[in-house]
Amino acid sequence: MNRNNIKNYLFTLLATLSTVALTNEAILVPDNILDVRSGKLIQAQIHIKDGLIKSIAKKIDSKADIEVINLKGITLVPGLMDAHVHLIGNNELNGYQSMSESSQMATLYGVKNAKSTLMAGFTTVRNVGAGEFADVALRDAIKRGIVEGPTMLVSGPTLSISGGHGDNNLMPYTSDIKTKKHNIVDSPWEGRKAVRLNRKYGANLIKFTATGGVMSKNTDVNARQFTYEEMQAMIDEAHSHGMKVAAHAHGLEGIRTAIKAGVDSVEHSSYIDEATVKLAIENGTYLSMDIYVSDYILGEGAKKGILEESLAKERVVGKLQRQNFKIAHSLGALMVFGTDAGIYDHGDNANQFKYMVKWGMSPLEAIQAATINTTDLFGLTNTGEIKENFAADIIGVKGNPLKDISILEDVVFVMKSGKVVKN
Ligand code: ARG
């Protein structure tokens, strides 16, 4: 071998070694894998390749060039999903303080929030409401690998009636009355137009507010917002583009009208009654009930600048929502894990699991709500389970979450799309 040959040889060797490191292959060796459909713990290893779960077996042949990741004492669970987050913005700003935050600054906070969410084991989230399509930018930056975060499904700006829960207007003649934004909708045709624009600018789904809210000034949680015709038009338009629709609704009439109009999920569902739970079941409508956030709002809200008006509404809504969560679950409602993280710190999403168990779910049902049920509601396939050919979105916890659901609050291993982001 002459000098040149040696040089070439070394070059090829180095090139080969670096491709090995980049093949995106790994073998996970945990104590257990949770099968979220059956609730069985399985003792097996997982072969990850090109972002997918290639195979699951008692023992995977470890070719010398594949990285083996030892996860002793760890149970692997599918990456968690949250159906209701607000990643955009500094969540320390409460009341109407966030109106002084620029969209650019809110987006930068979104980068931080996305990372905290992913590190807490949430590999997919639905972002339901963000101004100026900042959520679209964040989703795409994550997709391109520019910043770290969960897979995001985003709604763009929330659609609301004039003066409704999603109309961030404080005084007459200060904002939307003069410069009417496209997300303020007051007729079926304005609804269709707003859906068309949200879709055009990158939204995956549509969110509208079907009742007043807790956090908005001078709205009544029991008042329906939008007529049936308006809801039906927005939902029909969204569905015709293959988009799902989420309706914020606390009060019964708004919940019922949204379900009848064909909405895919009712967010909050606080005042739902038995007959309406049954209506939701008949229509295949998911309920996303954020039953942790109330303790945060009532515990921390006053210190954090949440308006007394909002605290007063929360004192009523929070209690009822939990009781109705229990009723909905006992009647067999379709339920997803949705938290409203953004009111409290991103990354604390998993705090809600123990509330879901306290209010009637088994630990397995609570985990299913954040994996297979969210997958169904989001319209996704081949994710939400640790199964061959499924996305390699996998998290690890110490011990058995079916025995103690709160261990999901302490996720020690996170793999997203086959890449380890936390170990
Ligand atoms: N974004 C919701 C609203 O303003 C938060 C409701 C929180 N309270 C609750 N009990 N889930 O209406």
Side-chain angles (χ1 to χ4, degrees):
M1 240 191 241
N2 66 27
R3 244 210 158 116
N4 249 341
N5 280 347
I6 292 175
K7 218 168 107 190
N8 279 341
Y9 171 75
L10 284 177
F11 244 102
T12 333
L13 187 72
L14 270 176
T16 321
L17 285 176
S18 56
T19 11
V20 168
L22 290 172
T23 47
N24 227 353
E25 250 183 289
I27 296 169
L28 306 182
V29 185
D31 273 16
N32 299 296
I33 301 168
L34 178 63
D35 174 352
V36 287
R37 282 212 186 262
S38 67
K40 287 204 179 91
L41 288 175
I42 294 157
Q43 283 78 51
Q45 305 180 352
I46 308 175
H47 180 197
I48 308 290
K49 197 180 174 192
D50 301 328
L52 295 178
I53 297 168
K54 259 299 173 267
S55 61
I56 303 171
K58 273 256 138 358
K59 175 106 189 62
I60 307 276
D61 276 343
S62 64
K63 284 182 250 133
D65 54 353
I66 305 183
E67 186 192 1
V68 176
I69 303 175
N70 223 306
L71 298 164
K72 216 177 150 27
I74 303 292
T75 301
L76 293 181
V77 178
L80 301 170
M81 303 181 184
D82 191 329
H84 192 123
V85 302
H86 297 280
L87 290 181
I88 304 299
N90 173 3
N91 64 285
E92 293 289 314
L93 302 178
N94 285 301
Y96 277 85
Q97 294 162 348
S98 62
M99 287 178 79
S100 65
E101 187 183 39
S102 70
S103 172
Q104 291 82 349
M105 186 56 87
T107 313
L108 291 172
Y109 271 94
V111 172
K112 167 179 172 267
N113 298 336
K115 184 160 184 181
S116 314
T117 303
L118 179 62
M119 293 305 151
F122 287 80
T123 52
T124 305
V125 299
R126 217 170 54 150
N127 203 78
V128 282
E132 301 184 32
F133 297 95
D135 51 353
V136 170
L138 182 60
R139 176 199 64 197
D140 291 349
I142 291 169
K143 234 192 246 172
R144 291 182 203 172
I146 300 168
V147 299
E148 260 185 324
T151 300
M152 288 176 73
L153 297 164
V154 307
S155 71
T158 297
L159 309 189
S160 166
I161 60 167
S162 284
H165 179 56
D167 183 357
N168 291 332
N169 194 10
L170 287 180
M171 303 285 284
Y173 311 113
T174 53
S175 59
D176 295 337
I177 291 178
K178 271 191 177 161
T179 55
K180 195 162 188 279
K181 294 188 178 129
H182 85 275
N183 63 310
I184 303 304
V185 163
D186 290 299
S187 73
W189 286 106
E190 282 184 3
R192 287 188 188 271
K193 182 172 179 181
V195 169
R196 291 167 187 168
L197 289 172
N198 272 14
R199 190 209 62 80
K200 165 75 176 172
Y201 296 117
N204 303 101
L205 69 131
I206 296 299
K207 152 103 179 274
F208 70 82
T209 54
T211 68
V214 171
M215 306 297 262
S216 51
K217 208 169 154 58
N218 198 21
T219 68
D220 177 354
V221 288
N222 275 304
R224 173 173 55 74
Q225 298 188 348
F226 287 121
T227 64
Y228 171 81
E229 291 74 14
E230 288 167 327
M231 293 191 201
Q232 197 275 334
M234 290 185 288
I235 294 166
D236 177 65
E237 187 69 31
H239 285 173
S240 78
H241 296 292
M243 301 167 89
K244 303 270 186 177
V245 184
H248 155 108
H250 291 287
L252 190 57
E253 199 197 330
I255 296 172
R256 210 188 293 129
T257 310
I259 295 172
K260 285 190 181 149
V263 80
D264 299 287
S265 67
V266 178
E267 310 298 307
H268 313 299
S269 312
S270 310
Y271 285 79
I272 198 164
D273 64 1
E274 279 199 31
T276 310
V277 169
K278 288 181 187 150
L279 184 71
I281 295 170
E282 277 162 31
N283 283 270
T285 316
Y286 275 97
L287 307 180
S288 166
M289 300 180 76
D290 49 344
I291 59 172
Y292 160 65
V293 70
S294 187
D295 276 6
Y296 180 87
I297 294 173
L298 296 179
E300 304 293 313
K303 293 197 273 280
K304 300 255 169 173
I306 293 179
L307 305 175
E308 172 49 38
E309 177 188 332
S310 294
L311 299 177
K313 290 192 239 184
E314 187 56 52
R315 282 180 205 112
V316 182
V317 167
K319 229 185 272 162
L320 263 168
Q321 190 187 28
R322 289 170 185 185
Q323 288 159 5
N324 291 333
F325 176 94
K326 191 162 190 174
I327 292 169
H329 169 259
S330 72
L331 293 171
L334 293 166
M335 298 176 93
V336 286
F337 182 93
T339 63
D340 223 344
I343 291 183
Y344 59 90
D345 288 350
H346 295 279
D348 286 349
N349 314 53
N351 286 3
Q352 188 172 286
F353 282 109
K354 57 178 180 284
Y355 285 74
M356 293 165 84
V357 170
K358 181 172 172 203
W359 291 92
M361 283 188 175
S362 69
L364 180 63
E365 287 170 326
I367 295 171
Q368 288 172 335
T371 52
I372 51 183
N373 296 4
T374 36
T375 299
D376 185 38
L377 169 62
F378 297 178
L380 301 174
T381 50
N382 289 22
T383 186
E385 288 177 72
I386 300 182
K387 243 172 116 169
E388 281 173 18
N389 295 319
F390 274 46
D393 288 347
I394 299 171
I395 63 165
V397 288
K398 282 191 188 140
N400 180 357
L402 299 181
K403 289 225 174 90
D404 176 6
I405 193 74
S406 70
I407 65 173
L408 289 174
E409 292 166 29
D410 189 15
V411 168
V412 295
F413 172 82
V414 181
M415 170 175 267
K416 187 195 162 205
S417 307
K419 208 179 128 214
V420 178
V421 293
K422 178 179 186 177
N423 191 4

